[in-house]
mmCIF file of all heavy atoms in Angstrom:
data_model
loop_
_atom_site.group_PDB
_atom_site.id
_atom_site.type_symbol
_atom_site.label_atom_id
_atom_site.label_comp_id
_atom_site.label_asym_id
_atom_site.label_seq_id
_atom_site.Cartn_x
_atom_site.Cartn_y
_atom_site.Cartn_z
ATOM 1 N N ARG A 257 12.541 137.718 -10.859
ATOM 2 C CA ARG A 257 11.786 136.476 -10.788
ATOM 3 C C ARG A 257 12.553 135.404 -11.552
ATOM 4 O O ARG A 257 12.817 135.529 -12.745
ATOM 5 C CB ARG A 257 10.391 136.670 -11.399
ATOM 6 C CG ARG A 257 9.539 135.431 -11.323
ATOM 7 C CD ARG A 257 8.127 135.705 -11.783
ATOM 8 N NE ARG A 257 8.075 136.151 -13.144
ATOM 9 C CZ ARG A 257 7.705 137.354 -13.512
ATOM 10 N NH1 ARG A 257 7.379 138.241 -12.614
ATOM 11 N NH2 ARG A 257 7.661 137.682 -14.792
ATOM 12 N N TYR A 258 12.873 134.331 -10.838
ATOM 13 C CA TYR A 258 13.728 133.322 -11.461
ATOM 14 C C TYR A 258 13.680 132.042 -10.639
ATOM 15 O O TYR A 258 13.655 132.089 -9.405
ATOM 16 C CB TYR A 258 15.168 133.846 -11.518
ATOM 17 C CG TYR A 258 16.111 133.019 -12.358
ATOM 18 C CD1 TYR A 258 15.944 132.932 -13.729
ATOM 19 C CD2 TYR A 258 17.177 132.347 -11.783
ATOM 20 C CE1 TYR A 258 16.825 132.196 -14.508
ATOM 21 C CE2 TYR A 258 18.058 131.607 -12.558
ATOM 22 C CZ TYR A 258 17.877 131.539 -13.917
ATOM 23 O OH TYR A 258 18.743 130.811 -14.674
ATOM 24 N N ASP A 259 13.645 130.922 -11.287
ATOM 25 C CA ASP A 259 13.690 129.627 -10.626
ATOM 26 C C ASP A 259 14.738 128.795 -11.339
ATOM 27 O O ASP A 259 14.559 128.392 -12.480
ATOM 28 C CB ASP A 259 12.316 128.940 -10.702
ATOM 29 C CG ASP A 259 12.312 127.571 -10.040
ATOM 30 O OD1 ASP A 259 13.364 127.169 -9.514
ATOM 31 O OD2 ASP A 259 11.262 126.910 -10.053
ATOM 32 N N LYS A 260 15.850 128.556 -10.641
ATOM 33 C CA LYS A 260 16.967 127.875 -11.296
ATOM 34 C C LYS A 260 16.618 126.456 -11.716
ATOM 35 O O LYS A 260 17.307 125.869 -12.543
ATOM 36 C CB LYS A 260 18.182 127.852 -10.361
ATOM 37 C CG LYS A 260 18.812 129.213 -10.144
ATOM 38 C CD LYS A 260 20.065 129.106 -9.319
ATOM 39 C CE LYS A 260 19.734 128.871 -7.875
ATOM 40 N NZ LYS A 260 20.935 128.834 -7.025
ATOM 41 N N ALA A 261 15.556 125.883 -11.138
ATOM 42 C CA ALA A 261 15.182 124.522 -11.499
ATOM 43 C C ALA A 261 13.957 124.490 -12.406
ATOM 44 O O ALA A 261 13.519 123.420 -12.793
ATOM 45 C CB ALA A 261 14.901 123.702 -10.228
ATOM 46 N N GLY A 262 13.397 125.656 -12.739
ATOM 47 C CA GLY A 262 12.157 125.680 -13.494
ATOM 48 C C GLY A 262 12.324 126.170 -14.914
ATOM 49 O O GLY A 262 13.431 126.300 -15.441
ATOM 50 N N GLU A 263 11.183 126.481 -15.526
ATOM 51 C CA GLU A 263 11.181 126.827 -16.947
ATOM 52 C C GLU A 263 11.967 128.098 -17.238
ATOM 53 O O GLU A 263 12.661 128.192 -18.253
ATOM 54 C CB GLU A 263 9.739 127.009 -17.421
ATOM 55 C CG GLU A 263 9.650 127.283 -18.906
ATOM 56 C CD GLU A 263 8.366 127.981 -19.293
ATOM 57 O OE1 GLU A 263 7.598 128.357 -18.405
ATOM 58 O OE2 GLU A 263 8.152 128.166 -20.486
ATOM 59 N N GLU A 264 11.881 129.113 -16.338
ATOM 60 C CA GLU A 264 12.522 130.385 -16.627
ATOM 61 C C GLU A 264 14.029 130.233 -16.778
ATOM 62 O O GLU A 264 14.663 130.946 -17.556
ATOM 63 C CB GLU A 264 12.182 131.403 -15.527
ATOM 64 C CG GLU A 264 12.521 132.836 -15.879
ATOM 65 C CD GLU A 264 11.683 133.392 -17.019
ATOM 66 O OE1 GLU A 264 10.745 132.704 -17.496
ATOM 67 O OE2 GLU A 264 11.954 134.523 -17.461
ATOM 68 N N HIS A 265 14.605 129.298 -16.035
ATOM 69 C CA HIS A 265 16.042 129.018 -16.167
ATOM 70 C C HIS A 265 16.366 128.629 -17.610
ATOM 71 O O HIS A 265 17.305 129.146 -18.213
ATOM 72 C CB HIS A 265 16.415 127.884 -15.209
ATOM 73 C CG HIS A 265 17.747 127.262 -15.478
ATOM 74 N ND1 HIS A 265 18.935 127.838 -15.084
ATOM 75 C CD2 HIS A 265 18.090 126.115 -16.117
ATOM 76 C CE1 HIS A 265 19.948 127.066 -15.456
ATOM 77 N NE2 HIS A 265 19.460 126.018 -16.086
ATOM 78 N N TYR A 266 15.568 127.731 -18.167
ATOM 79 C CA TYR A 266 15.825 127.258 -19.528
ATOM 80 C C TYR A 266 15.472 128.328 -20.557
ATOM 81 O O TYR A 266 16.101 128.397 -21.620
ATOM 82 C CB TYR A 266 15.049 125.964 -19.772
ATOM 83 C CG TYR A 266 15.480 124.854 -18.853
ATOM 84 C CD1 TYR A 266 14.725 124.501 -17.744
ATOM 85 C CD2 TYR A 266 16.684 124.186 -19.067
ATOM 86 C CE1 TYR A 266 15.142 123.502 -16.887
ATOM 87 C CE2 TYR A 266 17.105 123.188 -18.207
ATOM 88 C CZ TYR A 266 16.333 122.845 -17.120
ATOM 89 O OH TYR A 266 16.757 121.872 -16.258
ATOM 90 N N ASN A 267 14.472 129.158 -20.248
ATOM 91 C CA ASN A 267 14.144 130.247 -21.164
ATOM 92 C C ASN A 267 15.309 131.223 -21.301
ATOM 93 O O ASN A 267 15.670 131.644 -22.410
ATOM 94 C CB ASN A 267 12.912 131.001 -20.655
ATOM 95 C CG ASN A 267 11.635 130.201 -20.826
ATOM 96 O OD1 ASN A 267 11.587 129.241 -21.592
ATOM 97 N ND2 ASN A 267 10.595 130.586 -20.107
ATOM 98 N N LEU A 268 15.898 131.610 -20.165
ATOM 99 C CA LEU A 268 17.011 132.561 -20.205
ATOM 100 C C LEU A 268 18.237 131.933 -20.858
ATOM 101 O O LEU A 268 18.954 132.593 -21.620
ATOM 102 C CB LEU A 268 17.350 133.034 -18.789
ATOM 103 C CG LEU A 268 16.271 133.854 -18.071
ATOM 104 C CD1 LEU A 268 16.799 134.384 -16.752
ATOM 105 C CD2 LEU A 268 15.785 135.009 -18.919
ATOM 106 N N ALA A 269 18.504 130.667 -20.534
ATOM 107 C CA ALA A 269 19.647 129.991 -21.151
ATOM 108 C C ALA A 269 19.469 129.913 -22.663
ATOM 109 O O ALA A 269 20.421 130.106 -23.432
ATOM 110 C CB ALA A 269 19.816 128.592 -20.560
ATOM 111 N N SER A 270 18.237 129.649 -23.110
ATOM 112 C CA SER A 270 17.965 129.589 -24.544
ATOM 113 C C SER A 270 18.178 130.950 -25.194
ATOM 114 O O SER A 270 18.778 131.057 -26.273
ATOM 115 C CB SER A 270 16.531 129.107 -24.773
ATOM 116 O OG SER A 270 16.201 129.128 -26.141
ATOM 117 N N ALA A 271 17.697 132.014 -24.537
ATOM 118 C CA ALA A 271 17.883 133.363 -25.083
ATOM 119 C C ALA A 271 19.364 133.719 -25.153
ATOM 120 O O ALA A 271 19.806 134.377 -26.104
ATOM 121 C CB ALA A 271 17.131 134.374 -24.216
ATOM 122 N N PHE A 272 20.128 133.286 -24.156
ATOM 123 C CA PHE A 272 21.570 133.550 -24.131
ATOM 124 C C PHE A 272 22.268 132.901 -25.324
ATOM 125 O O PHE A 272 23.005 133.563 -26.076
ATOM 126 C CB PHE A 272 22.149 133.026 -22.817
ATOM 127 C CG PHE A 272 23.647 133.061 -22.728
ATOM 128 C CD1 PHE A 272 24.343 134.260 -22.875
ATOM 129 C CD2 PHE A 272 24.374 131.905 -22.496
ATOM 130 C CE1 PHE A 272 25.731 134.298 -22.795
ATOM 131 C CE2 PHE A 272 25.752 131.935 -22.411
ATOM 132 C CZ PHE A 272 26.431 133.130 -22.563
ATOM 133 N N ILE A 273 22.027 131.618 -25.525
ATOM 134 C CA ILE A 273 22.686 130.897 -26.621
ATOM 135 C C ILE A 273 22.244 131.446 -27.974
ATOM 136 O O ILE A 273 23.062 131.628 -28.887
ATOM 137 C CB ILE A 273 22.388 129.388 -26.522
ATOM 138 C CG1 ILE A 273 23.054 128.796 -25.276
ATOM 139 C CG2 ILE A 273 22.872 128.661 -27.771
ATOM 140 C CD1 ILE A 273 24.560 128.947 -25.234
ATOM 141 N N LYS A 274 20.967 131.737 -28.123
ATOM 142 C CA LYS A 274 20.477 132.261 -29.404
ATOM 143 C C LYS A 274 21.069 133.644 -29.698
ATOM 144 O O LYS A 274 21.280 134.002 -30.856
ATOM 145 C CB LYS A 274 18.956 132.303 -29.408
ATOM 146 C CG LYS A 274 18.309 130.914 -29.524
ATOM 147 C CD LYS A 274 16.799 131.014 -29.522
ATOM 148 C CE LYS A 274 16.180 129.645 -29.851
ATOM 149 N NZ LYS A 274 16.477 128.619 -28.853
ATOM 150 N N SER A 275 21.325 134.415 -28.640
ATOM 151 C CA SER A 275 21.948 135.724 -28.842
ATOM 152 C C SER A 275 23.391 135.572 -29.316
ATOM 153 O O SER A 275 23.845 136.299 -30.211
ATOM 154 C CB SER A 275 21.907 136.535 -27.543
ATOM 155 O OG SER A 275 20.584 136.763 -27.138
ATOM 156 N N LEU A 276 24.125 134.633 -28.732
ATOM 157 C CA LEU A 276 25.491 134.370 -29.194
ATOM 158 C C LEU A 276 25.476 133.884 -30.635
ATOM 159 O O LEU A 276 26.274 134.318 -31.467
ATOM 160 C CB LEU A 276 26.164 133.327 -28.297
ATOM 161 C CG LEU A 276 26.410 133.688 -26.826
ATOM 162 C CD1 LEU A 276 27.211 132.568 -26.155
ATOM 163 C CD2 LEU A 276 27.146 135.007 -26.697
ATOM 164 N N ARG A 277 24.561 132.965 -30.920
ATOM 165 C CA ARG A 277 24.477 132.408 -32.271
ATOM 166 C C ARG A 277 24.125 133.487 -33.284
ATOM 167 O O ARG A 277 24.553 133.455 -34.435
ATOM 168 C CB ARG A 277 23.429 131.292 -32.289
ATOM 169 C CG ARG A 277 23.362 130.503 -33.585
ATOM 170 C CD ARG A 277 22.337 129.390 -33.462
ATOM 171 N NE ARG A 277 22.730 128.406 -32.481
ATOM 172 C CZ ARG A 277 21.890 127.776 -31.666
ATOM 173 N NH1 ARG A 277 20.601 128.050 -31.694
ATOM 174 N NH2 ARG A 277 22.333 126.877 -30.815
ATOM 175 N N GLY A 278 23.336 134.465 -32.831
ATOM 176 C CA GLY A 278 22.938 135.550 -33.718
ATOM 177 C C GLY A 278 23.939 136.688 -33.755
ATOM 178 O O GLY A 278 23.637 137.753 -34.307
ATOM 179 N N SER A 279 25.128 136.488 -33.144
ATOM 180 C CA SER A 279 26.220 137.479 -33.175
ATOM 181 C C SER A 279 25.822 138.816 -32.569
ATOM 182 O O SER A 279 26.153 139.879 -33.089
ATOM 183 C CB SER A 279 26.728 137.670 -34.620
ATOM 184 O OG SER A 279 27.207 136.447 -35.151
ATOM 185 N N ASP A 280 25.097 138.760 -31.439
ATOM 186 C CA ASP A 280 24.687 139.971 -30.736
ATOM 187 C C ASP A 280 25.362 139.996 -29.361
ATOM 188 O O ASP A 280 24.845 139.410 -28.399
ATOM 189 C CB ASP A 280 23.163 139.994 -30.576
ATOM 190 C CG ASP A 280 22.654 141.334 -30.033
ATOM 191 O OD1 ASP A 280 23.426 142.025 -29.339
ATOM 192 O OD2 ASP A 280 21.484 141.667 -30.284
ATOM 193 N N PRO A 281 26.513 140.659 -29.229
ATOM 194 C CA PRO A 281 27.216 140.663 -27.941
ATOM 195 C C PRO A 281 26.443 141.384 -26.842
ATOM 196 O O PRO A 281 26.557 141.022 -25.664
ATOM 197 C CB PRO A 281 28.530 141.384 -28.257
ATOM 198 C CG PRO A 281 28.237 142.220 -29.468
ATOM 199 C CD PRO A 281 27.230 141.445 -30.248
ATOM 200 N N ASP A 282 25.649 142.397 -27.195
ATOM 201 C CA ASP A 282 24.890 143.138 -26.190
ATOM 202 C C ASP A 282 23.837 142.245 -25.544
ATOM 203 O O ASP A 282 23.724 142.187 -24.315
ATOM 204 C CB ASP A 282 24.226 144.358 -26.825
ATOM 205 C CG ASP A 282 25.241 145.221 -27.566
ATOM 206 O OD1 ASP A 282 26.184 145.698 -26.918
ATOM 207 O OD2 ASP A 282 25.102 145.382 -28.785
#
Side-chain angles (χ1 to χ4, degrees):
R257 182 173 61 247
Y258 191 66
D259 179 1
K260 290 185 285 183
E263 184 202 6
E264 194 66 5
H265 165 79
Y266 298 102
N267 288 343
L268 295 186
S270 176
F272 172 58
I273 293 300
K274 287 180 171 64
S275 299
L276 296 186
R277 187 177 295 143
S279 300
D280 189 334
D282 306 300

